[in-house]
Amino acid sequence: MTNGTARRMIAPRYGGPEVLEVVEEEVTQAGPGQVTVEVRAAGLNPADYKMVEGAYSKDPDGLPVRPGYEVAGVIAALGADTEIASGGGAVGDEVLAFRVQGGYASAITVPAKDVFAKPAALDFPEAANLLLAGTTAEDMLRVVEAREGDTLLVHGASGAVGVMVLQLARARGMRAIGTASERRFDEVRRFGGEPVAYGDGLEERVRALAPGGVDAALDCVGTDEAVDVSLAVAPTERIVTIAAPARAQQEGFRAVVGRDPESAAFRDSVRAGLIALAARGELVVPMARTYPLEEAGAALAFLSDGHPGGKLALLP
């Protein structure tokens, strides 16, 4: 942050990652209940490129699009009589923030209720990628009423949300069978899952591991195969997807999105617990690579290919 201004990536029109451009904007002065964060890392998520594409809305009044739902950095300013969500807070403190708007920036002023002390166990890129994936995983487990002793089928187990599901399931005494490509099997095992290759014969491979079927199925990929196998081996009322809403509506199982009021309230409520797990080293954020802020378009293009092999972060 320089002289009250910040570099920010915006999309002046809806489109692919190539529409992103860097601008310099005034940083809103932190008022009561607000915190200005000097961003050290901004997390990247599929929701970001969907937002830029206009998948959620193509309202011209929504332009320019300012992507970025989660950041990590240091407090640059606090509004009067303001504490962060985890208590206290002072200029220079290391923090993370979620759910925010416009995180692809060198500085951002956000509600203090969305700012938490950064666990020392996580570096800035990891901390900037903890909460969107983590709260999504928690929401999926809530919807299927996952409990100790359950056997779960997790589609896309080596992806960002999948590895969070695996870690939370392991910590709570659940068994997780996770679909992945064979080159990602070690990643699934690392986080407590039993890997199984997707592709022809998936249902048979799952049944070989769980002859009586599974208690619940969590779909993080949205393919027809994932949905069809879930319906074959799990009770419909205990299937959830974050990636196949049309199939969910057609087949009568749940799809969850962070913009849904029920999901949003729940996800906000579990942020502190996830941070506490990470602080104890019980929740890991696997990283793939980082990019300079100005290369946000290239980073989103890489993410949209679908197999980044870990989380990505922008470094202002």
Side-chain angles (χ1 to χ4, degrees):
M1 189 166 70
T2 306
N3 298 323
T5 65
R7 289 173 294 115
R8 184 183 309 279
M9 299 301 298
I10 66 167
R13 63 187 186 278
Y14 295 110
E18 71 282 352
V19 304
L20 287 173
E21 60 183 51
V22 64
V23 297
E24 189 152 310
E25 294 183 338
E26 290 288 327
V27 179
T28 303
Q29 185 172 352
Q34 293 181 317
V35 178
T36 300
V37 178
E38 184 180 310
V39 178
R40 299 291 174 81
L44 280 84
N45 295 281
D48 300 346
Y49 62 74
K50 292 176 183 176
M51 184 183 189
V52 171
E53 289 170 351
Y56 305 132
S57 169
K58 285 198 173 178
D59 185 350
D61 292 339
L63 295 172
V65 176
R66 292 179 167 84
Y69 292 107
E70 53 185 340
V71 300
V74 299
I75 295 177
L78 279 160
D81 302 317
T82 295
E83 289 192 350
I84 64 175
S86 50
V91 171
D93 284 358
E94 297 183 350
V95 293
L96 57 86
F98 170 79
R99 164 186 352 224
V100 302
Q101 288 281 348
Y104 291 12
S106 59
I108 183 173
T109 297
V110 299
K113 67 179 178 61
D114 297 322
V115 181
F116 299 80
K118 181 184 81 65
L122 300 182
D123 64 19
F124 287 112
E126 291 166 341
N129 278 289
L130 172 66
L131 287 180
L132 193 150
T135 60
T136 302
E138 286 278 30
D139 201 17
M140 297 180 81
L141 291 165
R142 170 188 68 90
V143 166
V144 299
E145 299 180 356
R147 48 193 175 263
E148 184 177 1
D150 277 352
T151 295
L152 310 179
L153 174 60
V154 183
H155 294 283
S158 68
V161 175
V163 298
M164 290 291 180
V165 171
L166 294 181
Q167 293 178 84
L168 294 169
R170 176 172 61 184
R172 295 167 189 173
M174 304 168 198
R175 178 192 182 201
I177 298 168
T179 72
S181 64
E182 290 192 16
R183 64 185 175 84
R184 302 286 291 169
F185 275 15
D186 285 346
E187 192 83 347
V188 175
R189 293 188 186 100
R190 173 188 174 194
F191 296 114
E194 299 172 39
V196 60
Y198 54 72
D200 289 346
L202 175 59
E203 180 185 339
E204 289 72 23
R205 290 190 291 279
V206 171
R207 289 196 182 280
L209 290 170
V214 301
D215 296 296
L218 296 81
D219 169 35
C220 305
V221 292
T223 62
D224 283 335
E225 174 188 74
V227 172
D228 292 343
V229 172
S230 295
L231 289 166
V233 301
T236 304
E237 66 274 14
R238 298 192 70 190
I239 299 173
V240 65
T241 185
I242 58 171
R247 287 295 307 273
Q249 185 173 21
Q250 176 186 338
E251 305 286 357
F253 60 90
R254 288 282 298 275
V256 293
V257 293
R259 301 182 309 284
D260 174 77
E262 180 184 348
S263 283
F266 174 79
R267 294 183 192 197
D268 284 352
S269 76
V270 298
R271 292 177 297 183
L274 290 165
I275 292 167
L277 286 173
R280 296 195 299 268
E282 296 173 17
L283 199 57
V284 174
V285 182
M287 294 296 301
R289 59 182 296 186
T290 61
Y291 291 80
L293 177 66
E294 289 77 8
E295 294 181 17
L300 277 188
F302 183 61
L303 178 63
S304 67
D305 283 344
H307 295 89
K311 294 292 289 182
L312 310 176
L314 300 176
L315 306 183

